[in-house]
Amino acid sequence: MALPSSNVPGRRAGILITIAAAAVLLAVLFAAYQLLPRAPVKLAAVPEGALPQQSRIWVILCGKGSPQKTCALNVGADFTRTSIEDVLKDKAYVTSMRFVSSQDAYRWSRLAKLPEEMVAGELDGPQWFEITLKDVSTAGAVAKVMGEFPGVASATRTTVDFWAGRAEINLMLCPRRQSDVLPAASCKGRGAASEAEKRAIGRLLDDSPRVQRFFFVNHARATLEDDNQSPVFTSGRTHPDEIRESFKIKLASAQPSDDLIKRLKTMPGVATIGPIFP
């Protein structure tokens, strides 16, 4: 009869040690995986599509107490609205023309303001036209004519926003260098939003039931969009260090919660929050 090998207990101990080491290794790897920064579930890639080539004129109508000379006659918003529509209708260089009432303006401004920030009487605030032109070549002339129109407070050249219809809230981050024209108080004395700050904003958006999805516009994409807009403005291109990265937020419903806006406004690295007009 064969005697039992004296090496068997040693082999069993070796197997047990190996299993234990593997279990410890798997636990360490799992813990490390949990600590790795991952893209939020709601974060979507920037939608494909060509950048808009049209130009847009915002024609702000005179309101109560407007100091401009064109407002002195007090012709009334209805008269001005009808006159502008008559002048620009059927013009080949006009792609579209939309009148924005005070109620519409209030609804959109509500996307970026809390109730306590809403100015008294804002429902009776500015009204304007959004006039979309086929290209930038006629923008200067149209803006000049509209700016001198009776009942018009101002006419501003801008661009058609790539994000119109794709998102409702534009959250701009602190840039590398503050702009002298549009400085943000929350960015004073600091540089660009850090990676940790961006991730914190992303986590907040990802956890919010009010957010359907959101997009992160990095510096390269923001530069591309800025270059596309620059021919519209006489001031030329923005300095690269002043270009702001941003989050474009698509809401799950038409109205954001006050809590969401309040928390976003206090997040480090946030410069401004504003509505994206359709």
Side-chain angles (χ1 to χ4, degrees):
M1 184 176 65
L3 295 174
S5 173
S6 60
N7 294 327
V8 171
R11 286 201 302 269
R12 288 177 179 172
I15 292 171
L16 291 174
I17 291 172
T18 302
I19 293 173
V24 170
L25 179 61
L26 287 173
V28 170
L29 290 174
F30 180 77
Y33 173 77
Q34 293 297 104
L35 294 174
L36 286 175
R38 294 186 293 280
V41 175
K42 294 179 184 176
L43 177 60
V46 172
E48 294 183 2
L51 293 171
Q53 299 303 308
Q54 305 99 320
S55 179
R56 178 168 286 169
I57 310 293
W58 280 25
V59 180
I60 312 297
L61 274 57
C62 295
K64 185 178 180 181
S66 297
Q68 293 85 349
K69 291 181 179 179
T70 48
C71 302
L73 295 176
N74 195 24
V75 296
D78 290 340
F79 173 82
T80 305
R81 176 180 178 178
T82 303
S83 300
I84 291 175
E85 289 172 342
D86 288 342
V87 167
L88 294 180
K89 70 179 182 181
D90 301 326
K91 292 293 189 291
Y93 54 81
V94 176
T95 299
S96 66
M97 180 169 52
R98 180 174 59 164
F99 178 72
V100 178
S101 67
S102 297
Q103 290 74 20
D104 289 335
Y106 181 90
R107 177 170 56 84
W108 286 323
S109 66
R110 178 68 183 82
L111 289 173
K113 294 181 180 178
L114 301 172
E116 60 266 24
E117 295 174 323
M118 302 303 286
V119 180
E122 195 164 346
L123 277 171
D124 298 323
Q127 304 182 95
W128 66 79
F129 275 97
E130 291 177 6
I131 303 166
T132 305
L133 309 175
K134 287 186 176 179
D135 55 58
V136 300
S137 62
T138 55
V142 174
K144 185 176 187 300
V145 170
M146 289 293 102
E148 298 171 351
F149 212 87
V152 170
S154 65
T156 304
R157 294 169 62 180
T158 182
T159 56
V160 177
D161 195 338
F162 171 82
W163 293 97
R166 293 181 168 96
E168 287 85 27
I169 295 180
N170 183 24
L171 187 154
M172 303 294 285
L173 298 172
C174 292
R176 300 169 185 170
R177 187 177 84 177
Q178 280 272 51
S179 167
D180 294 331
V181 180
L182 295 171
S186 58
C187 301
K188 185 177 180 180
R190 56 158 295 155
S194 68
E195 293 302 315
E197 289 169 341
K198 296 174 196 175
R199 286 197 296 270
I201 295 168
R203 286 194 297 269
L204 173 59
L205 295 174
D206 199 48
D207 291 340
S208 174
R210 303 282 183 168
V211 175
Q212 182 183 113
R213 63 179 177 274
F214 60 94
F215 309 87
F216 176 66
V217 178
N218 63 20
H219 194 268
R221 172 69 188 195
T223 300
L224 189 66
E225 294 184 13
D226 185 80
D227 287 344
N228 184 66
Q229 296 173 356
S230 60
V232 175
F233 303 103
T234 56
S235 59
R237 284 172 163 75
T238 308
H239 189 282
D241 287 345
E242 294 177 355
I243 292 176
R244 300 176 179 183
E245 296 182 318
S246 63
F247 287 89
K248 313 298 182 184
I249 303 167
K250 179 69 177 174
L251 297 171
S253 61
Q255 192 66 49
S257 69
D258 300 336
D259 180 64
L260 174 62
I261 297 298
K262 183 179 293 184
R263 292 179 67 188
L264 287 173
K265 283 188 173 184
T266 60
M267 294 289 284
V270 173
T272 60
I273 300 177
I276 297 174
F277 293 99

